[in-house]
Amino acid sequence: MLAGHRRQEIAALVRRRGSVRVADLVERFGVSDMTVRRDLEVLAEQAVLLKVHGGATAIGAPVTDEPGFEAKSLVQRAEKEAIAARAAALVAPGTAVAVSAGTTTWALARELLEIPRLTVVTNSLRVGEMFHRRKRADQEVVLTGGVPTPSDALVGPVAVAAIGSLNVDLLLLGVHGMSTHAGFTTPNLLEAETNRALAATARRLVVLADHTKWGVIGVGTIAALEDADVLVTDQGLGEAERALLAERVGDLVIAPSP
């Protein structure tokens, strides 16, 4: 295959998947590691993609870009469900947990419905609605109040004030992006503030983030990578990224393939 044709295919893969790994491209095209890295360098110089350690990602959206809940719920659904099931295994009956807004934590809420004697604090309209519909007698749900965002998170001073009077055993946090220098981030500054308040109430922080969140940066930082006691992700995360995260977070958990 000519270099130009191969680079066109790499660019199409990045647009379709959001990211690619060098090792996968080597196997796919039957060329050397050095050839693939040279292709990525050329495409990065042409602003077609962003070259990262071990591969490349699509050119990022602006740090303030905030897709709506419905749009986000359509992507990586199988991975999010696998992450949710694995994260739910960390929740013991009879504990108090906080659940942030997001599509991965929304998938998690379905798993939490099966755990007895939970107290659930959430700033997610979707999560609150799910628990309200089921109305288990042995579960208590606290909805923070606040102003809704495009991702159906309740944020702002009302939410922060309510959260400040509470204490929970565990925060199960969904994020927009994660990176080495920015940590766990969101494109909404008020949501970042509200999530920081949730983190301050919790004894332990569990972050739920599928592999496409790697290298994505939002304008507001919620926490550093080192603040996560557990990070639950999926098998799409590359080996290099796994090694890097394993050194930074308390415990890196890879959910089994869906």
Side-chain angles (χ1 to χ4, degrees):
M1 181 183 292
L2 296 176
H5 186 195
R6 185 176 59 249
R7 289 167 188 165
Q8 288 178 357
E9 289 205 18
I10 292 172
L13 280 171
V14 171
R15 285 194 298 270
R16 187 164 65 250
R17 297 180 180 177
S19 65
V20 292
R21 295 186 296 174
V22 169
D24 292 339
L25 296 177
V26 168
E27 182 178 354
R28 181 185 183 93
F29 294 110
V31 295
S32 69
D33 182 281
M34 184 177 298
T35 297
V36 168
R37 292 184 187 278
R38 189 180 304 117
D39 288 340
L40 296 181
E41 287 173 1
V42 170
L43 292 169
E45 290 172 359
Q46 296 172 350
V48 172
L49 50 75
L50 178 64
K51 193 171 180 292
V52 297
H53 183 70
T57 64
I59 297 294
V63 295
T64 55
D65 184 58
E66 185 176 10
F69 183 92
E70 299 297 342
K72 290 190 292 185
S73 68
L74 298 176
V75 297
Q76 274 72 52
R77 292 178 65 174
E79 289 87 346
K80 291 173 181 178
E81 289 172 1
I83 290 168
R86 186 63 184 84
L90 303 174
V91 179
T95 55
V97 299
V99 180
S100 77
T103 52
T104 308
T105 49
W106 182 58
L108 170 69
R110 292 194 293 273
E111 304 285 340
L112 297 182
L113 285 168
E114 307 306 319
I115 300 176
R117 306 187 312 281
L118 280 187
T119 297
V120 178
V121 176
T122 186
N123 71 321
S124 167
L125 287 169
R126 302 280 183 149
V127 171
E129 179 187 27
M130 186 177 297
F131 277 94
H132 178 70
R133 287 202 309 267
R134 285 288 295 268
K135 293 182 179 177
R136 279 187 59 150
D138 63 341
Q139 290 182 338
E140 183 176 4
V141 180
V142 178
L143 197 60
T144 64
V147 178
T149 70
S151 60
D152 288 341
L154 295 171
V155 301
V158 171
V160 171
I163 292 165
S165 64
L166 303 171
N167 300 287
V168 298
D169 298 297
L170 199 66
L171 167 59
L172 299 148
L173 176 70
V175 298
H176 174 76
M178 55 180 173
S179 73
T180 51
H181 68 279
F184 301 108
T185 61
T186 172
N188 188 299
L189 286 174
L190 288 176
E191 189 165 357
E193 178 189 30
T194 304
N195 283 341
R196 287 194 297 268
L198 284 170
T201 71
R203 292 179 179 177
R204 300 181 71 219
L205 171 60
V206 177
V207 177
L208 290 69
D210 70 74
H211 70 280
T212 65
K213 306 296 177 65
W214 179 254
V216 176
I217 298 175
V219 66
T221 292
I222 302 164
L225 296 181
E226 291 81 0
D227 293 331
D229 295 289
V230 183
L231 169 61
V232 186
T233 187
D234 65 273
Q235 293 190 342
L237 190 69
E239 292 297 332
E241 290 75 17
R242 294 187 195 190
L244 190 154
L245 284 167
E247 294 178 354
R248 302 284 292 274
V249 303
D251 187 17
L252 178 65
V253 176
I254 307 297
S257 295

